[in-house]
Amino acid sequence: MEHVSSRAADTEARSLAHWDEAGRAGMEAFYALAVEDYRQMVAARDWASDLRGSAVDGRVRVLDVACGSGKFPAELMRRGLASGVDGMQVEIDLLDPSVFSIAEARSVLGPPFVLRAEHPVRLQDLDRTIGGFDVAWATHALYAIPPDEIGAGVARMAEALRPRGFGAIVHATTASHYLRFAEAFRATFVPEATPFTSAEQVTDALRAAGLDPSSSTLRYTVGTDDRAVLEGFLQRCVFDDTVDLATMEAQEPLAGYLASCRDDGTYLFAQEVHVITWTAEA
């Protein structure tokens, strides 16, 4: 019998529902593999230089968009960001529609980060009076914004920057595991679900907002032969824990995609990620 997910077709709502204490086990299983995303992006460029170059009068204000559980600042700290910014404080605002996520991100902050404010809202709903940031970043953060709203979201992020401020969005492309898996899962179980937003759509939205983004590409592979970790990782990739791994492996077209990633009992997932940056207009 064909499986039909009981989760909502609204991808954004489904995502938000999984950012809570009840979803912690799935979150931890996901990050057993997804921690590599943050290692790769932190190694991809000199973020300390970006922050130093954006500082005004010895301080830099950052907006962390859809901050999630704070894995990006945590990895920056692990890689020695404090010494890289010469002891300068990095004042950070955490934005996320999930108060659970904000609490998680807050809990990992340490030098050079100093919490400045919290904004428990969607990016596209951020109050227009909030802005003037030197830096705004969104790292693997915008997938669940509906494609027909990504323009408004990206425009609001850009508006939050001061003139000549630095913006960065790290996001998977349509060739990545994240987007390929999400599309195969949607086609198999919830064809009415809102598709994930891709890096290509983010770049188009930035250009539509009048910006001139630059982009570099990261390619890497994550994998596991631990089926419990694998199931949790895949379920969290689509914010749906109603479909178990055996069912995913049995029903097409998702089964075919997963088979293409399997090598003698080990699953290997190829990621292609764009690091998209821009400078706000003067």
Side-chain angles (χ1 to χ4, degrees), residues 16-34:
L16 183 58
H18 274 68
W19 285 104
D20 62 13
E21 190 61 41
R24 184 175 294 280
M27 181 175 72
E28 291 175 352
F30 174 75
Y31 283 123
L33 298 184

Side-chain angles (χ1 to χ4, degrees), residues 15-96:
S15 168
L16 183 58
H18 274 68
W19 285 104
D20 62 13
E21 190 61 41
R24 184 175 294 280
M27 181 175 72
E28 291 175 352
F30 174 75
Y31 283 123
L33 298 184
V35 66
E36 186 63 21
D37 296 335
Y38 298 91
R39 293 172 180 155
Q40 292 284 335
M41 75 175 80
V42 168
R45 59 182 295 121
D46 188 345
W47 296 96
S49 177
D50 293 328
L51 290 166
R52 291 195 311 270
S54 302
V56 176
D57 297 329
R59 63 193 284 263
V60 60
R61 290 183 56 203
V62 175
L63 177 65
D64 189 341
V65 173
C67 61
S69 54
K71 289 294 187 290
F72 183 56
E75 182 64 14
L76 287 171
M77 289 186 293
R78 193 185 74 80
R79 294 286 188 100
L81 181 67
S83 60
V85 296
D86 302 325
M88 178 181 64
Q89 286 189 347
V90 180
E91 300 176 7
I92 191 166
D93 282 33
L94 302 176
L95 182 153
D96 201 290

